[in-house]
Amino acid sequence: MNILYMIFCYPIELLMEFLAGHFNSLIGSQGFSLILTSFSINIIMIPVFWYAEKLQQRERNIQAEMKPKIDEYKEVFKGYELHLYISNLHKQYKYHPIYAFRSLLGLFIQLPFFVATYHFLSHYSAIKGVSFLFISDLGSPDMLLPLFGIGVNVLPFLMTAINLISSFVYGKMLSKMERINIYVIAVLFLVLLYNSPAGLLLYWTCNNIFSFFKSVVFVKLLQRQKKTASAL
Amino acid sequence: MYHLIMLSLLLFAVTPSNVYAYLDPGSGSMIVSVIIAMVTILIYVTKSFIYGKMKALGKKSDMTDTKREYNVVVYSEGGQYWNVFHPILRELDARGIPTMFFTSRNDDPGLAVDFTNVEKKFIGEGHNAFFVLNKIKAKMVLMTTPGLGVLQIKRSKGVKHYSHITHATGTCFSYKAFSLDYFDSVLVGGTADRDLIAELEEKRRSAKKQVEMIGSTYLDELRLKLKNSGYVYNMFSEKKTTVLVSPTWGNHGLLSKYGQKLLKTLSDCGTFNIIVRPHPQSFISEKNLMEELMKNFPETENLKWDREKDGLNSMFHSDIMISDFSGIIFDYLFLFERPVLTFKSQFEKRGREAMDLKDDSYDIKILDRIGKTLTESDISEIPAIINSSISEKQALSSVVKEAEDALARHPGEAGKRAADFIQSVIKTI
């Protein structure tokens, strides 16, 4: 497992360390260097995101094309006969259920970036005890809102709010079930990340702001492509 | 690419669990898609495995040598298709073309016919037949069974050319979906099926098949039988206008929907002789309905129930037919040129070829011109409608000519034309 990590994730981690270190030496702020690193990595990732989005869209389109026929067959055929007719429909569309994984290739390409980032920011000693704007320690949970004698972490809520807005924009292209799922995942993030270091949340909050703008652009572009394709 | 996916999956598995929380909504939706895709694939693979095992449960037939290489194979599901194949086998036999006739019924009349160049063999039903047909080696296989490559009969690698022959005078619009897509050629009655197949090919962007318009072998057999039958009007003691009620079976069939009301109106009228000829399947699938109707309308001097194997005698006796969308309508029209009254029924298109057609097929559209199409509200007026339709039957001849061209052209030549086509195909293999 370590070999896989060394091959796929470690080079990315080194790149992040390089970027964060250089940004810090240029501007002298660990907080801003994390923000700039987040945006730099996201810019590098744009082609990957776009490719992943297109693959997923292709899968959605083919599913949408087959859906009326599959629904029709489900109403009139049963058991083995239904299986044979659906298999034949797949054959007609040159499709196999295993191809659903094709659309997920983008996710698997992104995965080493996620792992590397998490690993890097969990062990990045340079941010420990360092303050940034209203955050007293980037290496600990922010505890910005004192409530009944307990410090409530604000950054996880901020990140989740951005995630929910982004989900709303992105969700326009998805089915109802998929939309519910991404909202649930956004809320799940809040629970899982609530006690994470502020530096990590700062990085991913910026990442999600970027993701929000990326989603707006991608949705518009893919909708335009779909309109052009259907006009033809 | 699958290696890359597998590698990524492995990486995914070793990732710290809360790293997923850092995914943005786009990636989050991908994770949802991963789960949905995995569940879908699991279900699909499990079903394929189970159904594959079920298929293997079928006995391997020991009745047929699957290593033998045949020239032409004609496969029949049973005796009900003998009229379709007989003219072709007769012609192939006369031309000295080695042919094997496989049937799934050991009471198939074809097994009792003597040929010189045609061998005959009962290969069993269901899985026994599928086993033989899926392993067979031949230059050409001809059959009426639709759904090659979709249902249980798959294209055998040892067969060079698969041909389908239509077994009724109506079109293929009522066939189940993809019924003809994987045949190399289709022998059809006329332009209606030719156009229907072309429309489906265009819509599905499927490979173009050879479509040969040969006419109807089955109708030619009925013509011969009629010519030699010597039928006389003896079903009823008194000659009156005779009405043949001959519908299809099932919930959408005429007897199921309006049987009671229609038979009552016709019987009460007292001016007709009535022959009721339900579809043979009605006595199996609609046993209660049949018992009820036969109890309420027992045989009398003026009403007969016809359960004979073929309906020629009933057709011969009648002046007009009342039906829905049964294939017998066109047999009646082409053999006797007499009017047909049809009840507009809700034909179930879902799961059938009709669903993928832009419009109703020719044989549905022409019903208005070969008689009147009726609704339930017309039943009380039916005696008058019958009389007026019979008086206007002269106008039918031009419609019959046109319909014959579309559905069953070349009367009397279908067997010869089918053999010509088979000969031309095997010559090129």
Side-chain angles (χ1 to χ4, degrees), chain B residues 381-397:
Chain B
E381 303 299 318
I382 211 154
I385 295 171
I386 288 170
N387 290 326
S388 71
S389 297
I390 291 171
S391 66
E392 292 161 11
K393 77 171 189 181
Q394 285 78 4
L396 264 182
S397 58

Side-chain angles (χ1 to χ4, degrees), chain A residues 169-212:
Chain A
V169 174
Y170 187 81
K172 284 179 183 172
M173 300 194 320
L174 307 178
S175 67
K176 193 181 168 191
M177 187 52 90
E178 284 177 308
R179 274 202 301 273
I180 293 168
N181 283 326
I182 59 171
Y183 287 131
V184 170
I185 283 175
V187 175
L188 194 69
F189 288 179
L190 173 68
V191 178
L192 289 168
L193 282 188
Y194 183 72
N195 277 324
S196 294
L200 208 60
L201 283 156
L202 177 69
Y203 182 95
W204 283 102
T205 304
C206 293
N207 182 71
N208 290 346
I209 291 170
F210 187 85
S211 170
F212 171 71

Side-chain angles (χ1 to χ4, degrees), chain B residues 38-197:
Chain B
M38 285 172 90
V39 171
T40 309
I41 291 164
L42 192 70
I43 293 170
Y44 187 85
V45 169
T46 310
K47 275 186 180 175
S48 298
F49 177 77
I50 294 167
Y51 290 138
K53 287 279 169 208
M54 271 170 57
K55 230 174 7 181
L57 290 176
K59 280 182 196 167
K60 290 180 182 179
S61 173
D62 53 1
M63 289 179 279
T64 309
D65 177 10
T66 51
K67 285 181 185 155
R68 184 175 158 188
E69 289 195 23
Y70 299 98
N71 185 45
V72 176
V73 169
V74 174
Y75 168 64
S76 173
E77 287 174 57
Q80 68 271 35
Y81 299 109
W82 179 238
N83 281 343
V84 176
F85 294 117
H86 193 192
I88 302 172
L89 292 171
R90 215 166 33 216
E91 197 70 33
L92 292 173
D93 189 51
R95 295 181 192 195
I97 298 171
T99 303
M100 170 56 87
F101 175 66
F102 284 150
T103 174
S104 278
R105 296 282 305 187
N106 57 9
D107 58 356
D108 192 315
L111 293 172
V113 177
D114 284 327
F115 291 109
T116 312
N117 299 296
V118 178
E119 288 179 71
K120 301 150 295 180
K121 195 153 196 145
F122 163 62
I123 58 166
E125 290 180 75
H127 290 301
N128 287 331
F130 304 149
F131 180 82
V132 173
L133 294 167
N134 293 343
K135 295 263 180 196
I136 203 169
K137 293 184 185 76
K139 281 187 178 174
M140 185 175 185
V141 173
L142 175 71
M143 56 191 181
T144 53
T145 315
L148 174 72
V150 178
L151 298 171
Q152 290 95 335
I153 302 175
K154 309 294 177 197
R155 281 187 70 105
S156 163
K157 283 177 188 165
V159 174
K160 304 285 188 302
H161 187 107
Y162 276 98
S163 191
H164 174 86
I165 180 165
T166 54
H167 60 270
T169 34
T171 66
C172 303
F173 86 109
S174 60
Y175 277 22
K176 285 184 181 175
F178 310 116
S179 54
L180 304 173
D181 287 41
Y182 304 104
F183 283 97
D184 300 295
S185 63
V186 189
L187 307 181
V188 301
T191 52
D193 264 338
R194 180 199 64 189
D195 297 345
L196 182 152
I197 291 167

Side-chain angles (χ1 to χ4, degrees), chain B residues 102-366:
Chain B
F102 284 150
T103 174
S104 278
R105 296 282 305 187
N106 57 9
D107 58 356
D108 192 315
L111 293 172
V113 177
D114 284 327
F115 291 109
T116 312
N117 299 296
V118 178
E119 288 179 71
K120 301 150 295 180
K121 195 153 196 145
F122 163 62
I123 58 166
E125 290 180 75
H127 290 301
N128 287 331
F130 304 149
F131 180 82
V132 173
L133 294 167
N134 293 343
K135 295 263 180 196
I136 203 169
K137 293 184 185 76
K139 281 187 178 174
M140 185 175 185
V141 173
L142 175 71
M143 56 191 181
T144 53
T145 315
L148 174 72
V150 178
L151 298 171
Q152 290 95 335
I153 302 175
K154 309 294 177 197
R155 281 187 70 105
S156 163
K157 283 177 188 165
V159 174
K160 304 285 188 302
H161 187 107
Y162 276 98
S163 191
H164 174 86
I165 180 165
T166 54
H167 60 270
T169 34
T171 66
C172 303
F173 86 109
S174 60
Y175 277 22
K176 285 184 181 175
F178 310 116
S179 54
L180 304 173
D181 287 41
Y182 304 104
F183 283 97
D184 300 295
S185 63
V186 189
L187 307 181
V188 301
T191 52
D193 264 338
R194 180 199 64 189
D195 297 345
L196 182 152
I197 291 167
E199 189 183 334
L200 291 175
E201 283 171 346
E202 196 182 330
K203 183 174 169 68
R204 294 172 187 162
R205 292 177 195 145
S206 53
K208 290 244 180 280
K209 291 171 279 295
Q210 280 178 271
V211 178
E212 189 74 7
M213 295 184 285
I214 61 158
S216 171
T217 50
Y218 145 84
L219 206 58
D220 285 350
E221 280 297 275
L222 292 186
R223 281 188 181 103
L224 269 181
K225 198 170 174 189
L226 188 64
K227 199 176 156 190
N228 302 325
S229 66
Y231 290 132
V232 285
Y233 193 94
N234 57 8
M235 245 191 213
F236 303 96
S237 53
E238 189 187 349
K239 177 98 171 76
K240 288 184 189 175
T241 297
T242 305
V243 180
L244 171 61
V245 180
S246 186
T248 191
W249 63 281
N251 290 338
H252 53 199
L254 172 59
L255 284 182
S256 177
K257 290 179 89 170
Y258 316 123
Q260 196 74 27
K261 200 171 170 184
L262 176 70
L263 294 181
K264 186 166 184 346
T265 309
L266 288 172
S267 308
D268 289 353
C269 175
T271 55
F272 303 124
N273 285 332
I274 305 155
I275 306 167
V276 189
R277 181 179 164 77
H279 192 285
Q281 188 64 30
S282 291
F283 291 100
I284 302 162
S285 304
E286 305 166 302
K287 213 174 161 193
N288 291 342
L289 174 72
M290 288 302 110
E291 279 171 3
E292 194 189 334
L293 288 174
M294 288 178 91
K295 188 181 148 208
N296 293 344
F297 303 97
E299 290 217 349
T300 62
E301 276 292 299
N302 304 110
L303 191 147
K304 303 285 175 204
W305 287 83
D306 175 19
R307 294 189 65 177
E308 289 297 315
K309 204 167 180 182
D310 80 52
L312 267 186
N313 195 23
S314 291
M315 287 195 250
F316 169 82
H317 275 74
S318 63
D319 298 293
I320 191 165
M321 177 189 273
I322 302 178
S323 189
D324 34 41
F325 39 75
S326 175
I328 200 173
I329 292 170
F330 296 99
D331 299 349
Y332 188 66
L333 186 73
F334 296 142
L335 293 173
F336 297 96
E337 286 199 20
R338 292 172 193 165
V340 184
L341 301 177
T342 48
F343 275 83
K344 280 182 182 163
S345 297
Q346 198 57 48
F347 177 71
E348 175 58 272
K349 288 184 176 181
R350 289 175 307 171
R352 296 178 185 274
E353 300 287 30
M355 196 71 184
D356 284 345
L357 298 172
K358 279 185 283 201
D359 203 355
D360 278 339
S361 62
Y362 180 87
D363 44 344
I364 293 288
K365 285 197 278 193
I366 203 172

Side-chain angles (χ1 to χ4, degrees), chain A residues 81-134:
Chain A
E81 197 177 23
L82 175 64
H83 180 76
L84 290 173
Y85 275 98
I86 290 180
S87 298
N88 187 63
L89 193 68
H90 289 161
K91 195 163 136 188
Q92 295 266 329
Y93 280 87
K94 298 181 173 61
Y95 182 79
H96 189 282
I98 199 101
Y99 293 168
F101 278 121
R102 210 164 43 178
S103 69
L104 307 168
L105 185 65
L107 176 68
F108 298 132
I109 293 168
Q110 291 175 58
L111 199 63
F113 285 84
F114 299 139
V115 179
T117 308
Y118 178 78
H119 195 254
F120 169 62
L121 289 170
S122 300
H123 301 93
Y124 193 39
S125 55
I127 58 168
K128 283 200 175 122
V130 176
S131 66
F132 175 62
L133 301 177
F134 45 84

